[in-house]
Amino acid sequence: MKWTRGSLWGVVLLFMLTLAGRAGGEPAQLSDESRMCLDCHAKPGIIKFFQNNESLIAYVDADKFQTSVHNALACSSCHPDFSSGKHPTREFKTKAHYRIRSSLVCRQCHTDEQIKKRAVHRGLLQEEKAGKPPVCTNCHGSHTVTRLSGESSFTNEEQYCSRCHSHSMTMHFKNSDTLSLKVDSLALKTSVHGKLSCSDCHFGFSSEEHPRRNFKTRRDFTLASSESCRRCHFDKYTKTLESIHYTVLSQGKLNAPVCTDCHGSHAIYRVGKERTASAKRCQRCHSKEYDTYALSVHGNALFNEHNQDVPVCVDCHTAHTIEDPLSINYRERIPEMCSNCHAKKEVVGKYGLSTDVQKTYLADFHGVSLGLYKMEKGKLDKPHKAIAVCTDCHGTHNIMNTRGTEASVVKSNLLKRCQKCHADANEHFPDAWLSHYEPSLKRAPLVFLAGLAYQIFIPIMLIGFVLQVLLHIWRYAVNR
Amino acid sequence: MKSTFRRFCTARIIEHWIQIVTFSALVITGLSQRFYSLEVSRWIILHAGGIDSVRLLHRYAGVFFSCAVLAHILTAVFGLVIKRWQPSMVITRNDFLNAVHNIRYYLGNERYPAPGSRYSYTQKFEYWGILTGGILMIITGAVLWKPLLITRFMTGEIIPAAKVLHSNEALVVFLIISVWHIYNAIFSPEVFPLNMSIFTGSLSRERMIHEHILELASIEGTTLEEIRAHENDDDAAGER
């Protein structure tokens, strides 16, 4: 037989078509046996019950099966007990038990040596040794088996990853910590990162690659994972480098929080105006401060009245540049922080609070000293002294309402605070501070009257001087 | 006839120098605290080594000032009681009349200014203004220095009241000196560029006639009218 050019092309074309049909999972001719089984199983309504009353729908989607990689196989290839002539009744305790048994069939063709090549399988095989048999169909499906890699059957990466990661999977660390690798895809989809691909954060992973990584502890894994965030959120990342959390972390205290500790990983939501959620993030580590705050005038308004005007943790401590609150720098900024609300009429006015509190503090001895100490900072080579700021009298997390409290209680509390710096202070001493009130006839009449007298006297005196001087010069000029 | 007259002894000249120094130190360190937000105050505070140093300097200057005031009062009491000095600084009814007289003179209703004795009414008012103001400053300054001690005996409201008095009286004293005293001693056309009598201790007869004519008359044993008549003759001779 002599090969013609036309017949050669025909063979090549046929070969390519066959390849395309295979690789793309194109519908293939089903075996007679398969067609026979599908006569019943392609119809809904066949249900298998297990001994624990769990059930499984024994329905097979004929179309999907036809496009699966196993479409050329006869049903009995995977269900060896069944054939066109045999349909035994089998009993299984539970659905899980059934699935484990079914998965053993897969391993008859897909040998351990073969599947080990993939890192994700190696982990599963190790788990099997530890007594936790893998269920192939959890990731690969059963009658709709498709290739997990190099296939176009996944429209996006997330779909690809979630084939496995929507199931319960556990990552084991060297120190026997474990971490669930199950990702709640609904939570991920509705999170702020819903439109991102998995590999945007899990770089190095893709439909092609699934490197095996070794971490000593679960914490090591978290620390390494949180590094991904800076690829997009570099501004926030650099801010955290100045924070006390980073300082503590770099000192080797690995429990210091990183991005994912506060923001979560897959279920990241915008806190927005919901301030309770923001406060709760800090609670996980700072529960004592949180509890104290919850009882304070601010916390009480937030949690009980759902008041969104009150400050939460981040309003004073900031979210990323969190500074050591015991540092002198932080202390110096406290009056500014409080003034963010207490000097704004639109914020505190509706609660009947005076906005003079900042002004009166800054005009008094402590406020003036604070302002000048701040100015001197960096310019004079001197250690900085701490001076009383808002929190020294009002407290920090435990700030209480000063109204409605008996004046004598407020005063005795104030005295105790004065005595922290002015050890010899007696009960008269706190009265030297006018408690943010502007002097008036009712409050501090002595101060008010003294001020008023000068307000009248100084202009009169000055006008008198100037008149005298002008008249004197005028007379001198006239006389000449 | 003497052409210059000795008005101040060396002790008074030294006292005035001490007052210049302590008063300047107090004004610089004090007003920079009162007007702390001004750029010039901040410059002063930084160059004095910080607000703590400024406060310390102010208190030291205050102590010197207090000593000087005390010494002045003791000297005055000693002089008046033991040495029988004339109470020439005491304000009398005449001083108020002189003030009215001078205003009339300025407005052209009097031929001569009010006749000055050893101290003119402006000098007396200024003196008492500074002295009482200074004493008030010393007392309130001490209260502000030792608030813990003061509140052992008095109500706490004394402290802010003392602060109001101290800072306002400081302004009063500063204005008396910077407007009134500096005008009279430097910028007044009669003495410009500087009235040197407190530095040299002496004053010319011409200025004595103009400013302290009654004192001159008592020194020379004549009367006001004779001096004025004589002076008018001289002027007329000069014009001829």
Side-chain angles (χ1 to χ4, degrees):
Chain A
M1 186 184 154
K2 198 179 175 192
W3 289 94
T4 61
R5 181 178 281 192
S7 61
L8 261 175
W9 274 118
V11 171
V12 170
L13 194 69
L14 193 71
F15 181 65
M16 280 171 73
L17 274 173
T18 319
L19 270 185
R22 280 269 163 209
E26 285 293 310
Q29 192 67 43
L30 295 177
S31 68
D32 290 346
E33 187 192 79
S34 298
R35 274 204 302 265
M36 204 178 104
C37 298
L38 284 170
D39 277 347
C40 295
H41 283 280
K43 289 174 194 152
I46 305 175
I47 297 170
K48 166 82 185 163
F49 284 96
F50 299 100
Q51 283 170 358
N52 69 341
N53 281 337
E54 279 180 318
S55 63
L56 178 80
I57 298 166
Y59 165 76
V60 178
D61 186 326
D63 291 340
K64 282 191 177 165
F65 177 63
Q66 226 166 347
T67 56
S68 84
V69 291
H70 289 158
N71 54 9
L73 296 181
C75 298
S76 59
S77 308
C78 297
H79 303 278
D81 297 345
F82 297 81
S83 69
S84 48
K86 285 192 288 180
H87 200 297
T89 309
R90 295 187 306 168
E91 290 291 328
F92 294 96
K93 278 182 192 159
T94 63
K95 195 151 97 178
H97 195 222
Y98 168 73
R99 284 196 162 140
I100 292 165
R101 282 287 300 278
S102 307
S103 289
L104 291 175
V105 174
C106 310
R107 313 271 290 276
Q108 286 173 4
C109 297
H110 302 280
T111 63
D112 288 1
E113 283 310 310
Q114 267 181 330
I115 63 173
K116 245 187 199 170
K117 285 174 193 163
R118 293 216 171 268
V120 63
H121 290 149
R122 278 202 292 275
L124 292 169
L125 290 174
Q126 265 177 9
E127 281 185 11
E128 187 179 30
K129 275 182 198 158
K132 201 180 165 216
V135 178
C136 307
T137 52
N138 276 355
C139 298
H140 297 277
S142 48
H143 297 101
T144 54
V145 178
T146 36
R147 279 177 205 277
L148 280 182
S149 57
E151 274 302 312
S152 57
S153 50
F154 298 101
T155 51
N156 62 39
E157 197 180 64
E158 194 234 317
Q159 232 179 46
Y160 172 79
C161 299
S162 66
R163 274 301 286 267
C164 296
H165 286 281
S166 59
H167 299 285
S168 299
M169 298 162 81
T170 311
M171 186 168 176
H172 293 271
F173 298 95
K174 285 181 182 164
N175 72 338
S176 69
D177 281 349
T178 57
L179 174 71
S180 167
L181 296 179
K182 185 177 175 178
V183 176
D184 181 344
S185 45
L186 183 72
L188 176 63
K189 228 174 228 161
T190 51
S191 81
V192 288
H193 291 156
K195 286 186 178 158
L196 293 187
S197 298
C198 303
S199 63
D200 286 334
C201 298
H202 300 277
F203 41 94
F205 289 80
S206 69
S207 53
E208 304 297 329
E209 286 176 288
H210 198 295
R212 183 168 180 82
R213 298 194 300 167
N214 286 307
F215 291 101
K216 246 187 193 167
T217 64
R218 182 176 164 161
R219 189 65 191 157
D220 284 350
F221 171 76
T222 307
L223 294 176
S225 304
S226 73
E227 292 288 307
S228 306
C229 310
R230 70 168 169 206
R231 297 209 308 175
C232 299
H233 303 283
F234 199 73
D235 58 328
K236 301 287 189 297
Y237 171 77
T238 47
K239 279 182 177 174
T240 60
L241 295 183
E242 294 163 20
S243 74
I244 185 161
H245 286 153
Y246 185 81
T247 309
V248 171
L249 184 71
S250 59
Q251 285 164 354
K253 288 171 191 147
L254 301 183
N255 280 336
V258 290
C259 316
T260 50
D261 291 311
C262 301
H263 294 280
S265 45
H266 295 106
I268 299 177
Y269 299 106
R270 214 176 279 284
V271 170
K273 286 181 179 166
E274 185 39 68
R275 301 167 76 74
T276 315
S278 168
K280 289 213 157 125
R281 286 176 171 179
C282 309
Q283 182 194 16
R284 275 176 47 202
C285 299
H286 303 281
S287 62
K288 220 172 101 187
E289 286 75 12
Y290 178 89
D291 292 344
T292 314
Y293 166 79
L295 293 174
S296 76
V297 64
H298 292 140
N300 189 41
L302 178 70
F303 297 123
N304 296 337
E305 298 161 26
H306 209 66
N307 185 320
Q308 299 291 307
D309 278 338
V310 292
V312 290
C313 318
V314 294
D315 289 302
C316 298
H317 294 283
T318 72
H320 296 105
T321 332
I322 304 165
E323 211 175 320
D324 178 359
L326 302 177
S327 72
I328 199 99
N329 279 347
Y330 185 85
R331 164 175 268 278
E332 281 177 353
R333 283 210 319 279
I334 288 173
E336 266 172 63
M337 295 173 196
C338 300
S339 302
N340 278 339
C341 297
H342 284 277
K344 283 186 187 151
K345 214 173 177 94
E346 64 270 24
V347 181
V348 294
K350 50 184 176 269
Y351 308 107
L353 295 173
S354 164
T355 48
D356 288 340
V357 288
Q358 181 204 26
K359 201 174 70 188
T360 45
Y361 167 76
L362 290 179
D364 200 68
F365 179 81
H366 293 125
V368 171
S369 299
L370 178 81
L372 292 170
Y373 284 161
K374 268 165 98 171
M375 177 198 75
E376 289 167 17
K377 197 160 65 180
K379 294 187 177 167
L380 299 175
D381 186 24
K382 281 206 295 197
H384 291 286
K385 282 200 300 189
I387 192 118
V389 292
C390 317
T391 51
D392 289 299
C393 294
H394 294 279
T396 49
H397 301 115
N398 59 344
I399 297 169
M400 286 294 153
N401 193 347
T402 46
R403 287 181 306 183
T405 316
E406 263 185 62
S408 58
V409 176
V410 173
K411 197 176 158 184
S412 77
N413 284 341
L414 194 57
L415 177 59
K416 275 181 218 151
R417 284 183 171 128
C418 295
Q419 283 168 338
K420 278 188 191 166
C421 299
H422 309 281
D424 296 338
N426 71 356
E427 71 277 10
H428 293 312
F429 187 70
D431 292 332
W433 163 240
L434 301 180
S435 306
H436 295 292
Y437 287 105
E438 292 285 4
S440 67
L441 266 185
K442 262 189 182 171
R443 283 185 194 275
L446 218 57
V447 186
F448 174 75
L449 290 174
L452 185 70
Y454 279 104
Q455 269 176 19
I456 297 167
F457 176 66
I458 291 177
I460 291 176
M461 181 187 79
L462 204 56
I463 291 169
F465 282 166
V466 172
L467 276 180
Q468 273 263 350
V469 167
L470 291 178
L471 282 171
H472 184 228
I473 293 172
W474 183 61
R475 174 51 40 198
Y476 185 82
V478 168
N479 281 0
R480 275 175 68 129
Chain B
M1 205 185 289
K2 275 166 77 181
S3 65
T4 56
F5 293 85
R6 184 96 182 144
R7 265 178 79 71
F8 301 114
C9 66
T10 318
R12 295 282 82 73
I13 296 169
I14 293 170
E15 188 181 34
H16 186 257
W17 272 114
I18 290 173
Q19 287 302 340
I20 290 177
V21 174
T22 53
F23 185 82
S24 304
L26 284 168
V27 164
I28 292 167
T29 54
L31 289 186
S32 61
Q33 289 182 64
R34 183 182 163 147
F35 301 104
Y36 59 90
S37 53
L38 295 181
E39 202 51 49
V40 60
S41 305
R42 294 181 167 234
W43 186 89
I44 291 168
I45 291 167
L46 279 179
H47 284 79
I51 184 63
D52 290 338
S53 314
V54 171
R55 284 178 178 148
L56 204 63
L57 285 171
H58 189 73
R59 284 162 194 174
Y60 283 148
V63 170
F64 274 106
F65 178 77
S66 309
C67 292
V69 170
L70 189 67
H72 177 85
I73 292 169
L74 290 178
T75 312
V77 171
F78 176 79
L80 289 168
V81 176
I82 311 290
K83 290 197 156 185
R84 302 271 163 198
W85 288 349
Q86 288 296 311
S88 51
M89 227 1 140
V90 175
I91 294 175
T92 61
R93 186 171 160 269
N94 239 356
D95 292 308
F96 292 99
L97 295 176
N98 281 349
V100 176
H101 180 110
N102 245 20
I103 289 169
R104 287 171 56 80
Y105 165 71
Y106 292 149
L107 297 174
N109 298 334
E110 293 281 349
R111 187 163 175 221
Y112 293 105
S117 48
R118 175 159 172 81
Y119 297 108
S120 68
Y121 75 93
T122 53
Q123 285 171 326
K124 284 187 189 180
F125 289 146
E126 187 187 319
Y127 170 84
W128 286 105
I130 298 294
L131 186 68
T132 52
I135 291 167
L136 184 63
M137 294 303 283
I138 291 166
I139 294 167
T140 53
V143 169
L144 292 174
W145 193 349
K146 294 284 171 202
L148 285 168
L149 183 72
I150 300 299
T151 47
R152 255 186 240 170
F153 313 108
M154 284 182 228
T155 162
E157 205 193 320
I158 287 289
I159 311 298
K163 194 182 160 194
V164 167
L165 288 172
H166 195 80
S167 62
N168 280 298
E169 187 59 33
L171 205 58
V172 168
V173 173
F174 176 69
L175 288 174
I176 291 177
I177 296 296
S178 65
V179 179
W180 194 232
H181 187 69
I182 297 297
Y183 173 75
N184 285 326
I186 297 174
F187 293 107
S188 168
E190 281 145 21
V191 301
F192 192 80
L194 181 63
N195 183 352
M196 290 294 287
S197 64
I198 194 63
F199 303 114
T200 60
S202 49
L203 196 65
S204 68
R205 189 169 184 279
E206 190 192 342
R207 293 259 321 272
M208 285 291 282
I209 292 169
H210 202 82
E211 292 161 39
H212 306 287
I213 196 163
L214 291 176
E215 191 192 10
L216 182 68
S218 82
I219 292 170
E220 294 183 341
T222 58
T223 61
L224 174 73
E225 287 74 21
E226 277 177 40
I227 295 171
R228 277 185 184 154
H230 195 258
E231 197 191 4
N232 286 343
D233 291 348
D234 283 355
D235 284 353
E239 276 168 23
R240 245 181 273 143

